[in-house]
Each structure stands twice: as C-alpha cells, then as structure tokens.
Amino acid sequence: MVTPRCIVVRHGQTEWSKNGNFTGVSDIPLTQYGISQVHATANALFEDPEAPTYLDPNHVTYIFTSPRSRATHTKDIFLEHIPEKHRSQIKVIVDDDLREWEYGDYEGKLTHEIIALRKSRGLDQEKPWNIWRDGCENGETTEQVGCRLSHVIARIQHIHSIHLNQNKPCDILVFAHGHTLRYFSSLWFMSMFSSGIVQNKLVSTNFKPQTNYVGFQNITKEEAERDVPFVALEKFYYLNDNPWFMLDAGGVAALSYSHNKISEPSLMLSGIFNPRATK
Amino acid sequence: MVTPRCIVVRHGQTEWSKNGNFTGVSDIPLTQYGISQVHATANALFEDPEAPTYLDPNHVTYIFTSPRSRATHTKDIFLEHIPEKHRSQIKVIVDDDLREWEYGDYEGKLTHEIIALRKSRGLDQEKPWNIWRDGCENGETTEQVGCRLSHVIARIQHIHSIHLNQNKPCDILVFAHGHTLRYFSSLWFMSMFSSGIVQNKLVSTNFKPQTNYVGFQNITKEEAERDVPFVALEKFYYLNDNPWFMLDAGGVAALSYSHNKISEPSLMLSGIFNPRATK
C-alpha cells in the first residue's frame, strides 16, 4: 500500500519574485536563473527515473497547475525530465483556482510600499497589515482565497481517495505560487486542528458549483469534468494569520495522510527528501 | 547573509519502530536496514562536500543529540560522511532534554494495546486517547515534554542569534525521535500563532535553571556550559493536540527564520530539499 501524496512546487525565480514585488495576476516570465533553478530541482527529483529516489514518475497520475506562465513553464521543465513513456500518462489540468492571491491595489508593489499606501489611507492604526487576515484592497480577502483553495484540496483528496481504495499509487503534483501554496499547505493539515489560525465557514446553499479548468494536456475537458469533478463542500476553511512557512522559488513540499487514512491529512516534515536505503 | 537553520533528523529504523512499539527510554539499536537507511540519507546530503547541494558541512556549527543509542548512532553515521577537516570542527552535545517522550506504562506497547489498557482503567470514555493532549500514565505529560523542548529551542535560537549578529553561517543538526521531533518542530513555528494547539505556561520563579548535557565531542563540558548556556524562559510552550506531521525513520526536516529575523521562527516546507541552480 503506497500512501498518496500531494507534491507542491513553487515556480522558479522571476524578476519580480527576485525583487520582492507582489505578483498576482501579472504574467511575469521566469528569469534565466529561475529556469536553471527548476532544471536543477527536476534533475535532482528524476535523476534516474528507472530507480527513483524521491519520486517515481510512474506513480504520478495528475498535475494541477496555475494558469500563469511562470507556473506552467515550471511544470513544462519538470515534464522534460520525465521519460516520454511516463510523461504521456500524466494528465495535466490548468486550474484557475490555483492562481496567486489577487493583490488588487498592491499588485507589483513592494511590502514597504503597501504598508505606506495603507497608512496613507488611514488603515492599520491598531495593528500592522497581515495579508493572511486582512487580505488586499480591491483584491481578494482571505475567505475568498481559502474558499477556492479548499475546493482544490477537495478535488485532489477525492482523486487520492479513489486510488487508495483501488490500492493504486497516486502522487499528484501542484504547480503554483508563494502565497497560494503556503496557504494550500496550511489548510491541508491545520484544518485538523480544533482551534487556531484556520477558521471554517459554512457554504451557502445558493453556492453554485463550477469547475475552473482552463487548460488540458493528455486529458479532454469532458474527461476532466467527469474524473476530476467539482466536489461540493458543506464548509470551507480559511486562515486568519500567517502560517509561518518558508517556500523559496523552485521549492518542493509534500502533503500526505497519517496512517494511510484520507481523513487524516498531514504535512510531511521532510518534504520530498526521503532517500531510500539501497543495501 | 545566510539564514541560520535547525535541521532535525529522526533516527533510522529499529525493530520496535518497524513494529510500532512505543520506544521511550528503552535503548533499542538500529536494525541493519536502519543503518543503511541513514547511510543513504547522509550520502544524499553530503554527496559532494566540496560542492554541497543541500547542506555545507562547513556551515554546521553544533550537533545536539538525544542520549539514546539509536540517535547517537544515526549522528555517528552522518559524521562519517563528512570529511575529517570539517568533522573535527563540529561541536557535539548530548542533551538529555532531547530524549523521547517518557511513555511510562505504555513503554514497548502497540497503540491498540495502549488503547485497551486505558479502557480497562476506565479512561477515554468521552474522547479517544490523544498523547499530545493526555500524555502517558506514569510517564510524561504534554506540559513536561513541552517544557524541556522549549528550553532546547531557546538554547539553539540563542546560538543562532549570536551567529546571525556576527554574520556567520550556522546550521545546527538535531538527532532525536518521532514524537519529540514532531513536537519540537511544532513549537518552533506554531508558538507564533496567537491561538490554537500551542499553549503557553508561565514559568514559576522557583524554577531551577539547569543544563542537561550528558556527553560532549569536540567541546568540553565547561565550554558547552559557557557557549551553550541554559536560557531562562519567562514562559514555555506546549501542545494540546496532534500537530498532524509525518516524519519517517531517517527523515530530515528543516526549521529556520522568515526575513532572516530570529523573532520570526518558521518551518521550511521543502525541508532540506533545495537544489541549487548550477547553470
């Protein structure tokens, strides 16, 4: 029995990530350094695909990616490192729910510029700005980000559940961004806590289920909507504080399940780094 | 400026860890598989010490280890993979505060046996046993474990702080156990949360500071007590729930600081896995 994993990958460096500009909807490409960074990561992961140390390409079922080119380019570089016979088996879904936090008025700005802007508008007089609680003016609130990421998690756990029941390996790769992936990782396991920085909100019965897939590879739109359906939620989760995670550009983290139970989503502390004994 | 890191390593497989027996104070050795597991991990970490991908031996200042032989043996195997010129510079402290949770009546038992034992004693009628909240009969409470691990964290952050102020790299390795390392990692960053599974407790003014070092390598007892002093705490932290982490035998995780600030302890989601761009 192989426990399913969700392996999240932050895109490589861009000019804006290098300089600290908040990059939400803007479609900023990888730098040359960012490209080589992702090659180095993918190479370390798939160095010998016939005797994989960290990730067996044959166990990868689906890739979910943000539509932004810095994420899809990172995904393409990863796929280049996987032999064709495995690559053609991996279904890729471009999921708009994985886009970066919509920063609204703060798009392209540096942290100190955002702080100054908010101050000039009379905000943050009692405590400093915390995006994980306060969100962005004319951009997304933390409830909005939590809602769409809770739905992505539900879709992925649904696929994991089916594979686990059939006793089939199922590693799913997720390519996205600094804020959304730290957010996504927190919701994955901290929603198990009975109290704390993860809150839950009941979903209105008027809530209209929809999928937000905007691209496909090795799978048709119809197959995607059938095999990776929208999962209706009774409630969704969102953060009210910084989860205090670090995830550098090009970084890879791993989420899984304790005791092989889908009802016990957990964080793998060592990420993807689990070399196997060879002797 | 290189941000200090605390790299935690769970010992390799033992007969008891393989079978799921709770192993606290018992001194159970590594299996042959456990030994090769740790060699594989250390080899992946230090494959080319002159061009290190994950961990530069030259940046390792201190090692802290639990006194149990499964931890010190794991530490010895790691040191074997480091060239002598670096190895002799690394100060090793055997710290009794890093021992595994004292399981008391549950030592050596399997989870289902513990649950049955507690049931036979009339416990857990309202909710199931949760070691992170309920502790162990005739063993340690969660407050006791939290107290000693909070002190280890304070000692390590004190060393990090000094090195950061002097702009010197400082990676510290910690060799310990499944429960204590997941506990330690939670306290490291979740103590930043204003509410949740991490509680804090004020320390009595009668509290007697003491160090619990029981062994030394490349450092004398006097140097250790001078350079790695007991750090008095106004309060310590402890858990009241499962942090939902996974850390397999031989696993390696990484803790650090956001924005290079000792006041912002954070978890590195990718663990030690951060391959560098080579082009």
Side-chain angles (χ1 to χ4, degrees):
Chain A
M1 183 85 80
V2 188
T3 309
R5 295 184 298 179
C6 174
I7 293 153
V8 305
V9 185
R10 183 177 170 190
H11 63 78
Q13 188 202 64
T14 67
E15 280 300 328
W16 281 24
S17 77
K18 185 169 81 176
N19 299 324
N21 306 72
F22 277 60
T23 323
V25 292
S26 306
D27 209 9
I28 311 292
L30 300 183
T31 59
Q32 209 49 48
Y33 179 82
I35 292 170
S36 66
Q37 198 176 34
V38 176
H39 274 293
T41 300
N43 190 50
L45 273 181
F46 298 114
E47 201 166 5
D48 179 358
E50 302 310 323
T53 305
Y54 303 113
L55 184 55
D56 185 340
N58 204 29
H59 289 185
V60 179
T61 53
Y62 287 90
I63 286 176
F64 286 74
T65 177
S66 153
R68 297 293 89 75
S69 66
R70 57 196 183 279
T72 58
H73 190 179
T74 300
K75 174 266 294 177
D76 289 338
I77 295 172
F78 265 61
L79 285 174
E80 276 179 43
H81 286 261
I82 295 178
E84 165 57 22
K85 65 176 173 180
H86 299 300
R87 193 194 313 148
S88 58
Q89 302 300 314
I90 301 173
K91 296 165 188 142
V92 179
I93 291 174
V94 184
D95 187 342
D96 196 43
D97 277 344
L98 282 169
R99 69 191 182 278
E100 182 53 301
W101 199 309
E102 291 182 17
Y103 297 127
D105 292 356
Y106 312 153
E107 182 75 18
K109 293 204 176 349
L110 301 169
T111 303
H112 74 88
E113 294 171 336
I114 298 170
I115 290 169
L117 177 68
R118 288 178 60 93
K119 193 180 174 190
S120 76
R121 292 173 176 175
L123 298 170
D124 309 326
Q125 295 188 357
E126 294 191 0
K127 38 189 173 182
W129 178 55
N130 181 338
I131 189 172
W132 312 94
R133 180 191 63 217
D134 305 325
C136 299
E137 294 169 277
N138 296 309
E140 284 182 296
T141 63
T142 182
E143 286 90 339
Q144 287 172 318
V145 175
C147 182
R148 60 179 166 90
L149 293 177
S150 292
H151 279 98
V152 182
I153 289 174
R155 292 200 267 279
I156 289 175
Q157 295 188 347
H158 171 78
I159 302 173
H160 277 161
S161 171
I162 289 172
H163 284 75
L164 188 62
N165 286 340
Q166 297 174 347
N167 200 15
K168 288 182 187 162
C170 182
D171 282 337
I172 294 177
L173 298 180
V174 172
F175 292 84
H177 308 271
H179 269 114
T180 42
L181 286 180
R182 283 178 291 160
Y183 206 121
F184 180 97
S185 302
S186 334
L187 294 186
W188 185 278
F189 75 105
M190 290 183 188
S191 57
M192 296 294 282
F193 303 170
S194 55
S195 70
I197 69 167
V198 178
Q199 312 293 304
N200 68 60
K201 195 154 185 166
L202 294 178
V203 175
S204 149
T205 49
N206 293 322
F207 189 82
K208 293 276 182 296
Q210 59 167 41
T211 49
N212 289 296
Y213 305 145
V214 295
F216 307 91
Q217 192 175 334
N218 299 331
I219 186 170
T220 65
K221 184 170 186 292
E222 291 67 34
E223 287 167 337
E225 289 177 350
R226 181 193 67 205
D227 298 342
V228 191
F230 180 92
V231 178
L233 296 175
E234 287 176 20
K235 59 186 179 184
F236 68 86
Y237 293 90
Y238 65 97
L239 292 175
N240 69 5
D241 200 355
N242 189 337
W244 297 103
F245 288 150
M246 299 167 78
L247 183 62
D248 288 341
V252 181
L255 303 156
S256 186
Y257 304 92
S258 292
H259 312 110
N260 223 8
K261 288 184 189 161
I262 298 289
S263 58
E264 298 186 4
S266 302
L267 175 76
M268 299 182 78
L269 276 183
S270 47
I272 195 76
F273 187 78
N274 54 343
R276 301 207 184 128
T278 46
K279 284 187 222 174
Chain B
M1 183 84 80
V2 187
T3 309
R5 295 184 299 179
C6 175
I7 293 154
V8 305
V9 185
R10 182 177 171 191
H11 64 78
Q13 187 201 63
T14 68
E15 280 301 329
W16 283 22
S17 77
K18 185 168 81 178
N19 298 325
N21 306 72
F22 276 62
T23 322
V25 292
S26 306
D27 208 9
I28 311 293
L30 299 182
T31 58
Q32 208 49 50
Y33 178 83
I35 292 171
S36 66
Q37 198 177 33
V38 176
H39 275 292
T41 300
N43 190 51
L45 272 182
F46 299 115
E47 201 166 5
D48 179 358
E50 303 309 322
T53 306
Y54 303 112
L55 183 55
D56 184 340
N58 203 29
H59 289 186
V60 179
T61 53
Y62 287 89
I63 285 176
F64 286 74
T65 177
S66 154
R68 296 293 89 76
S69 66
R70 57 196 185 278
T72 59
H73 190 181
T74 300
K75 175 264 296 176
D76 289 337
I77 295 171
F78 264 62
L79 285 173
E80 275 178 44
H81 286 262
I82 296 178
E84 165 57 22
K85 63 176 174 179
H86 299 300
R87 194 194 312 147
S88 58
Q89 302 300 313
I90 301 173
K91 296 165 187 139
V92 179
I93 291 173
V94 184
D95 187 342
D96 197 43
D97 277 343
L98 282 169
R99 69 191 181 278
E100 183 53 301
W101 199 310
E102 291 182 17
Y103 297 126
D105 292 356
Y106 313 151
E107 182 74 19
K109 294 204 175 349
L110 302 170
T111 302
H112 74 88
E113 294 171 335
I114 298 170
I115 290 169
L117 177 68
R118 288 178 60 92
K119 191 179 175 190
S120 76
R121 292 174 175 175
L123 297 170
D124 310 326
Q125 297 189 356
E126 294 192 358
K127 38 190 173 181
W129 178 54
N130 181 338
I131 190 172
W132 312 94
R133 179 191 64 217
D134 306 326
C136 299
E137 293 170 278
N138 296 309
E140 285 181 297
T141 63
T142 182
E143 286 90 339
Q144 287 173 317
V145 176
C147 181
R148 60 178 166 91
L149 293 177
S150 292
H151 279 99
V152 181
I153 289 174
R155 293 200 266 279
I156 288 174
Q157 296 188 346
H158 171 77
I159 302 172
H160 277 161
S161 170
I162 290 172
H163 283 74
L164 188 61
N165 287 338
Q166 296 174 348
N167 200 15
K168 289 181 186 161
C170 183
D171 282 338
I172 293 178
L173 298 180
V174 172
F175 292 85
H177 308 271
H179 269 117
T180 43
L181 287 180
R182 283 177 291 159
Y183 205 121
F184 180 97
S185 302
S186 334
L187 294 187
W188 185 279
F189 75 105
M190 290 183 188
S191 57
M192 296 293 282
F193 301 171
S194 55
S195 70
I197 68 166
V198 178
Q199 312 294 304
N200 66 61
K201 195 153 185 167
L202 295 179
V203 175
S204 150
T205 49
N206 294 322
F207 189 80
K208 293 276 181 294
Q210 59 167 39
T211 50
N212 289 296
Y213 305 146
V214 295
F216 308 92
Q217 194 175 333
N218 299 331
I219 186 170
T220 65
K221 184 170 184 291
E222 292 67 35
E223 286 167 337
E225 289 178 349
R226 181 194 66 205
D227 298 342
V228 191
F230 180 91
V231 178
L233 297 176
E234 287 176 20
K235 58 186 179 184
F236 69 85
Y237 293 90
Y238 65 98
L239 292 176
N240 70 5
D241 200 355
N242 189 337
W244 296 104
F245 287 151
M246 300 167 78
L247 184 62
D248 288 342
V252 181
L255 303 156
S256 187
Y257 305 92
S258 292
H259 312 109
N260 223 7
K261 287 184 188 162
I262 299 289
S263 58
E264 299 187 3
S266 303
L267 175 76
M268 299 182 78
L269 276 183
S270 48
I272 195 76
F273 187 78
N274 54 344
R276 301 208 183 127
T278 47
K279 285 187 222 173

